[in-house]
Amino acid sequence: MLADSISIDDARKLVLISQGLHRANPFGTGIQASLEVIKRLSYVQIDTISVIERAHHHSVWNRQNTYTKSHLDTLMAHQQIFEYWSHAAAYLPMADYRFSLPRKQAFASGEKHWHEKNTALTKSILQRIAQEGPLQAKDFKRGSVAKNSGWWDWKPAKKALEQLFMEGELMVLKRQGFQKVYDLTERVIPEGVDVSYPTEQEFNHHLILRFLAAHGLGTASEMAYLRKGIKNKLNAVCEQLVEDKQLLKLDCQGRQYYALPQSLSGLTQGLGRRQIWFLSPFDNVLIQRKRTKQLFDFDYQIECYVPEAKRQYGYFSLPILWGRAFAGRMDAKIIRKSGVLSLQHLHLVTADIDALLIDLIPALQAFLSFNQGTEISLKHISAPQQVTQVQRDFLKQKIELITLN
């Protein structure tokens, strides 16, 4: 079937509307809006890096600005979301629980996780949690570890707990100080949640439809992100859904995408006033870097894993989304003792500094508040050559006048 044509501008608009990055609070406000964000995105990645607020808080806040860090804890306590693995550790809607079962069964059937399974130890841990109730890794006696211990050298009990978690025997009940508290799965799953194992067709449809609802348009390869051996199956299912008129096939600059027919109606709505989002490096809209490059012409790499001497933009540079395009990146760090939000490097690709300032200042003020800071320092600006030193100095002065008292 021939593909309809969609312009790159409309493709970007479709992506941003689907992602909830087209206007302020498209999902509403309050804790219910936080749940709606997770439902729409299908997952929010959990990350340990905390130079600013962690990725899971940051991604939800960018889509509803009344978000507070207690929302995720409350949604976990009310059994409306759960922790498991998407392409990485993530919060997922509890309504999608059954679609975590294929991965869990694979691990239970012998697919290797990060560690070799210690059957005797996992059995002992299950018995203890069944008898004593929820426990953390620290509640188990430390075994021997290598001197240069890293995450791959977790003590045996922690390895076993994670194995049981990946297999689905245990779930995370909550976190205390960011440490997981594990309990038996049957004591965490609420009544009424569908726990039936999905058929292959149901699972494939779930992956396709959830991806397209969250991202607007996509390829089978993107839908199969970091899942082995299913790209061709998903592509065949997408083609059948096109034949059944449940999906559209779209051509954007020579690339073939699939989309939900109803999503295109969103293209008739405006995006609201142009505003700025400072995105987490693990935000859903840009986690697939190749896709971001193709659709937004933005070549992004997180550099915290790059040797310092080879970094171009900084340890934890945040992509700056301005309207429908990326305007640069900002390497940020909150110094919690002093309340200073240190901008180590503000890199801009736009030369329209006057227009940028109109949206940048309120965005930085909101970002400062979200990170519980009181003032901003700016160490370095890089910008196109036509941006004069006077403009750079003026920009620095305006930014450093931002305070929260």
Side-chain angles (χ1 to χ4, degrees), residues 216-228:
L217 75 174
T219 66
S221 179
E222 292 164 354
M223 298 169 199
Y225 183 56
L226 297 185
R227 295 179 183 270
K228 296 178 181 178

Side-chain angles (χ1 to χ4, degrees), residues 88-336:
Y91 290 108
L92 302 101
M94 186 64 80
D96 289 349
Y97 173 79
R98 65 191 293 250
F99 296 104
S100 70
L101 296 178
R103 188 188 292 268
K104 291 173 179 176
Q105 184 186 69
F107 283 115
S109 299
E111 183 177 309
K112 188 177 178 181
H113 187 37
W114 295 309
H115 314 295
E116 294 290 344
K117 184 173 181 177
N118 183 328
T119 303
L121 182 56
T122 55
K123 182 178 179 181
S124 174
I125 286 174
L126 277 176
Q127 290 175 342
R128 186 172 166 191
I129 291 177
Q131 294 169 359
E132 298 180 29
L135 294 173
Q136 296 178 260
K138 69 179 183 180
D139 295 316
F140 296 86
K141 185 178 179 180
R142 179 179 294 276
S144 60
V145 296
K147 290 182 180 179
N148 59 338
S149 178
W151 68 266
W152 54 89
D153 292 321
W154 284 349
K155 61 182 180 177
K158 189 167 185 177
K159 294 178 183 179
L161 284 165
E162 194 64 11
Q163 182 73 35
L164 289 165
F165 168 71
M166 293 304 294
E167 291 181 3
E169 296 284 350
L170 297 178
M171 290 183 69
V172 175
L173 177 67
K174 59 183 177 180
R175 285 187 181 243
Q176 290 181 340
F178 203 61
Q179 299 304 306
K180 295 176 181 176
V181 179
Y182 299 90
D183 201 359
L184 300 180
T185 291
E186 59 263 32
R187 296 200 295 228
V188 177
I189 295 292
E191 292 184 13
V193 169
D194 189 350
V195 297
S196 62
Y197 195 89
T199 65
E200 182 179 15
Q201 182 184 50
E202 287 176 323
F203 184 69
N204 290 339
H205 281 203
H206 170 78
L207 289 181
I208 293 166
L209 299 179
R210 290 295 256 158
F211 184 93
L212 294 178
H215 293 277
L217 75 174
T219 66
S221 179
E222 292 164 354
M223 298 169 199
Y225 183 56
L226 297 185
R227 295 179 183 270
K228 296 178 181 178
I230 67 168
K231 181 182 76 170
N232 291 339
K233 289 182 181 179
L234 291 185
N235 197 65
V237 175
C238 285
E239 287 296 312
Q240 184 59 55
L241 291 173
V242 171
E243 290 292 329
D244 296 340
K245 301 189 184 306
Q246 295 182 54
L247 292 185
L248 296 176
K249 188 183 285 188
L250 302 175
D251 181 282
C252 182
Q253 297 187 328
R255 296 189 185 94
Q256 304 291 301
Y257 293 94
Y258 299 102
L260 299 170
Q262 61 269 29
S263 67
L264 296 188
S265 63
L267 293 177
T268 61
Q269 64 177 289
L271 290 183
R273 64 174 294 274
R274 184 164 60 172
Q275 63 185 96
I276 282 176
W277 285 267
F278 305 110
L279 299 177
S280 163
F282 307 106
D283 192 278
N284 300 54
V285 78
L286 53 78
I287 195 63
Q288 295 196 43
R289 311 303 194 206
K290 180 180 178 182
R291 173 183 165 90
T292 306
K293 171 65 175 172
Q294 290 173 341
L295 286 173
F296 290 91
D297 194 25
F298 184 64
D299 193 6
Y300 178 72
Q301 178 187 17
I302 185 171
E303 295 183 334
C304 58
Y305 309 114
V306 175
E308 184 173 0
K310 295 184 178 181
R311 291 175 193 152
Q312 185 176 0
Y313 302 108
Y315 176 83
F316 203 67
S317 66
L318 311 176
I320 302 172
L321 178 65
W322 187 26
R324 298 185 198 182
F326 287 91
R329 48 199 106 195
M330 179 178 78
D331 185 31
K333 178 181 180 180
I334 183 69
I335 304 170
R336 292 178 172 85

